[in-house]
Amino acid sequence: MSSITRPGDPPGGRRAAAVWGIGVSVYFVAVIFRTSLGVAGLDAADRFQVNASALSTFSILQLMVYAGMQIPVGLLVDRLGTKKVLAIGVVLFTAGQLGFAFSPTYGTALASRALLGCGDAMTFISVLRLGSRWFPARRGPLVAQLAGLAGMAGNLVSTLLLARLLHGIGWTAAFAGSSLAGVVVLVLLLLFLKDHPEGHEPEPFPHRGAAYVRRQISASWREPGTRLGLWVHFTTQFPAMVFLLLWGMPFLVEAQGLTRATAGELLTLVVLSNMAVGLVYGQVVARHHEARLPLALGTVGATALLWATTLAYPGDHAPMWLLIVLCTVLGACGPASMLGFDFARPANPPERQGTASGITNMGGFVASMTTLFAVGVLLDATGDDYRIAFSSVFVLQALGVSQILRLRSRAARREKERLVASRVSSVHVPA
């Protein structure tokens, strides 16, 4: 299926890459802002004088807003187009990052992270939609993985550059200075981004208020591929997200006895592994569409095995080689979560792509939000016992795998029916 060029597919090419690259740059900056708390978690605890549960509330609120916005953003992208939604997103996440720089209290800092999460929520779905408008369908898996790769590059910048700025020039200057990147991408977006190439305008589609919204959501949800995509995203993404977004640094420093510098290097390893695995997964799925589910389940299994080995290791600290292997395997979680969109995409027509992507994208962020909260609560309840706290990972993985196994046959059957129907219709299209 991945090798088929559908009638009316956009041509791709250099211009497509340039326009799509502007959208990706917006997502790149959004991820820098999203993950900035991951390197500033211990500093935030000191600055606002909060415990583990209160610290986790920063990321939980940010992800709660992000997850809650996914379906509304999907509907907005389907209705308004990519450029308008991305522009709104840039303004919001830049304002949130700037507000976080100058927040004098815990409450104002929370509000700033919520605003950042709202803007961030508008980026990835828009970039996926932009890719589907500018590139042929057969390029979909690779384009999605490359978008995820750009996001991890943003995470890398946050881990390396922002961490140094934070400890070099201080909290306010580091966060305020980084917000200038949002202004730069907003200018590029307004000047050069286009929703689609000439001659590939989407067909007019009636929008009739609440009835339209209900139809879009219900039609997308009825597709087994959309639900399977959500659970794949749910099960694969959250272990690395929780590690990078907040709890990785405290775990490595407080539970494993590493210095901040060494812990930062291990966080960087997660990001570098993510980028390398993303390229591999994208190429494999583009050539072998049936590899999607084995890759997803294999990643979940490897992640669970390494977490169990690390947490159960006898002694006070796991050896460095095991932490290196753990961080390398965690790097596969992001690329595996992108596979969820490869189940939702072929299950829905073009006018529902934004909505279906929004539903899928909720999965991993709901799981991340739940785990961030569970880890914070368990740390406070057990006197900072990271082994007990991080065992919550296995509960969500078990739930997700059970749903994936339940839906896989129905989704595969429905996808095959759509493929046959597509081939038949293309054969009967008048010349």
Side-chain angles (χ1 to χ4, degrees), residues 67-146:
M69 286 291 294
Q70 289 309 293
I71 292 178
V73 168
L75 292 164
L76 281 174
V77 171
D78 286 337
R79 181 166 185 173
L80 300 179
T82 301
K83 184 170 185 174
K84 292 179 181 178
V85 176
L86 273 180
I88 295 170
V90 174
V91 171
L92 292 177
F93 70 61
T94 302
Q97 184 79 340
L98 191 61
F100 196 58
F102 293 100
S103 292
T105 65
Y106 177 68
T108 55
L110 276 177
S112 297
R113 296 308 287 187
L115 189 63
L116 192 157
C118 185
D120 183 18
M122 298 184 177
T123 58
F124 189 66
I125 293 175
S126 298
V127 171
L128 288 180
R129 173 63 174 260
L130 192 68
S132 69
R133 291 297 187 191
W134 280 89
F135 293 97
R138 69 181 185 276
R139 301 292 185 192
L142 183 58
V143 168
Q145 289 290 353
L146 289 175

Side-chain angles (χ1 to χ4, degrees), residues 239 297-311 326 329-330 333 393-394 397-398:
L297 292 175
T299 302
V300 174
T303 304
L305 176 62
L306 264 297
W307 261 124
T309 304
T310 302
L311 297 178
L326 171 66
V329 171
L330 284 175
C333 291
V393 168
F394 306 124
Q397 285 184 321

Side-chain angles (χ1 to χ4, degrees), residues 136-199:
R138 69 181 185 276
R139 301 292 185 192
L142 183 58
V143 168
Q145 289 290 353
L146 289 175
L149 186 67
M152 293 315 297
N155 200 328
L156 187 63
V157 169
S158 178
T159 304
L160 295 178
L161 181 59
L162 191 59
R164 291 185 179 182
L165 287 175
L166 188 64
H167 299 121
I169 62 177
W171 178 283
T172 300
F175 280 101
S178 66
S179 67
L180 293 175
V183 178
V184 173
V185 294
L186 179 61
V187 172
L188 291 174
L189 163 68
L190 295 176
L191 290 178
F192 302 112
L193 191 137
K194 291 191 65 175
D195 283 350
H196 47 74
E198 290 80 0

Side-chain angles (χ1 to χ4, degrees), residues 383-415:
D384 291 339
D385 190 326
Y386 279 88
R387 290 183 175 182
I388 294 176
F390 272 108
S391 294
S392 57
V393 168
F394 306 124
V395 178
L396 273 75
Q397 285 184 321
L399 171 62
V401 169
S402 69
Q403 295 301 311
I404 290 171
L405 296 178
R406 183 178 68 86
L407 289 164
R408 60 178 179 173
S409 297
R410 272 182 282 175
R413 185 167 57 250
R414 178 67 172 147
E415 188 172 303

Side-chain angles (χ1 to χ4, degrees), residues 123-315:
T123 58
F124 189 66
I125 293 175
S126 298
V127 171
L128 288 180
R129 173 63 174 260
L130 192 68
S132 69
R133 291 297 187 191
W134 280 89
F135 293 97
R138 69 181 185 276
R139 301 292 185 192
L142 183 58
V143 168
Q145 289 290 353
L146 289 175
L149 186 67
M152 293 315 297
N155 200 328
L156 187 63
V157 169
S158 178
T159 304
L160 295 178
L161 181 59
L162 191 59
R164 291 185 179 182
L165 287 175
L166 188 64
H167 299 121
I169 62 177
W171 178 283
T172 300
F175 280 101
S178 66
S179 67
L180 293 175
V183 178
V184 173
V185 294
L186 179 61
V187 172
L188 291 174
L189 163 68
L190 295 176
L191 290 178
F192 302 112
L193 191 137
K194 291 191 65 175
D195 283 350
H196 47 74
E198 290 80 0
H200 291 272
E201 293 79 4
E203 295 181 8
F205 195 78
H207 307 291
R208 298 174 182 171
Y212 161 75
V213 171
R214 287 194 298 270
R215 282 198 305 272
Q216 287 286 89
I217 295 174
S218 63
S220 297
W221 184 254
R222 280 198 300 269
E223 292 292 343
T226 304
R227 301 198 301 278
L228 179 59
L230 178 146
W231 284 109
V232 167
H233 199 270
F234 176 101
T235 315
T236 54
Q237 188 202 47
F238 78 94
M241 177 69 74
V242 168
F243 199 78
L244 289 171
L245 200 60
L246 183 61
W247 290 122
M249 180 69 77
F251 169 74
L252 294 171
V253 172
E254 296 178 354
Q256 299 303 318
L258 303 180
T259 65
R260 285 197 183 197
T262 304
E265 290 172 357
L266 286 175
L267 293 179
T268 302
L269 176 61
V270 177
V271 177
L272 292 174
S273 173
N274 186 303
M275 297 170 74
V277 174
L279 288 173
V280 174
Y281 278 19
Q283 293 287 353
V284 169
V285 174
R287 290 174 169 79
H288 307 285
H289 215 51
E290 66 281 359
R292 293 170 298 171
L293 202 57
L295 286 175
L297 292 175
T299 302
V300 174
T303 304
L305 176 62
L306 264 297
W307 261 124
T309 304
T310 302
L311 297 178
Y313 197 87

Side-chain angles (χ1 to χ4, degrees), residues 7 15 37 49 53 64 99 146 182 240 261 272 284 297 333-334 355 359 363 425:
R15 185 162 183 239
L37 189 60
Q49 296 296 301
S53 296
M64 185 182 297
L146 289 175
L272 292 174
V284 169
L297 292 175
C333 291
T355 306
I359 293 172
S425 64

